[in-house]
């Protein structure tokens, strides 16, 4: 988890540097940490808007020009937050639908469902098996008298 956070912060550093400002390690860690802590507060899904505002203002506070901070943070969020969503959707669809191949386990699941239905037990037998006294149409527990 630590490596994930450090690499994520490093990607922010690279993207801000790509627009012409070199953030110091202290400014980067403070801005990144503050943004992620505030993103954990469930105000918006995924910290949308919160992360961008906190990162941009923090980087500006640590000396980054406003335009560079905005471009760096928006590019970082596009790559970090938005790009994985369609890629994950495509990957998910590719795993579910493979042209020309039958779905694995589909016949086995159907067979198990049919066997379960054929061997079903009625409600009265189930209640008696679980220690419920059945009188008339209702079941009651042994101590309900």
């Amino acid at each position: 988890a630590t490596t994930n956070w450090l690499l994520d912060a490093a990607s922010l550093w690279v993207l801000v540097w790509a627009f012409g400002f070199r953030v110091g390690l202290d400014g980067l860690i403070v801005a990144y940490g503050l943004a992620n802590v505030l993103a954990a507060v469930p105000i918006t899904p995924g910290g949308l808007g919160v992360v961008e505002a906190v990162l941009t203002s923090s980087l500006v506070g640590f000396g980054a020009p406003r335009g560079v901070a905005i471009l760096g943070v928006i590019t970082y969020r596009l790559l970090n937050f938005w790009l994985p969503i369609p890629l994950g959707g495509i990957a998910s669809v590719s795993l579910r639908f493979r042209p020309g191949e039958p779905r694995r386990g589909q016949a086995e699941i159907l067979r198990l469902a049919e066997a379960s239905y054929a061997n079903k037990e009625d409600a009265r037998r189930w209640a008696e098996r679980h220690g419920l006294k059945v009188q008339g149409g209702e079941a009651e527990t042994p101590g309900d008298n």
Side-chain angles (χ1 to χ4, degrees):
T2 303
T3 304
N4 181 40
W5 275 53
L6 289 174
L7 290 173
D8 197 28
S11 68
L12 173 63
W13 183 78
V14 167
L15 289 168
V16 172
W17 187 23
F19 289 104
F21 182 74
R22 204 164 171 168
V23 181
L25 182 61
D26 56 345
L28 177 73
I29 297 300
V30 168
Y32 180 81
L34 186 61
N36 280 290
V37 166
L38 292 176
V41 178
I43 297 171
T44 61
L48 288 176
V50 174
V51 172
E52 291 83 356
V54 172
L55 276 177
T56 303
S57 59
S58 298
L59 291 173
V60 168
F62 281 103
R66 186 175 310 276
V68 170
I70 291 171
L71 287 173
V73 168
I74 296 300
T75 306
Y76 163 75
R77 285 295 276 178
L78 284 173
L79 294 175
N80 175 276
F81 185 81
W82 291 104
L83 183 63
I85 295 172
L87 294 179
I90 291 168
S92 175
V93 169
S94 74
L95 292 174
R96 292 182 182 197
F97 302 105
R98 296 182 182 193
E101 281 186 35
R103 292 186 185 176
R104 286 188 309 190
Q106 185 176 11
E108 180 67 13
I109 291 172
L110 184 59
R111 185 189 66 74
L112 289 171
E114 288 172 351
S116 175
Y117 185 73
N119 297 327
K120 70 179 181 178
E121 101 184 293
D122 66 345
R124 179 178 288 267
R125 176 172 281 162
W126 182 90
E128 288 172 350
R129 190 168 52 88
H130 287 283
L132 300 172
K133 287 173 66 178
V134 180
Q135 295 178 347
E138 297 181 22
E140 45 183 68
T141 57
D144 279 351
N145 295 335

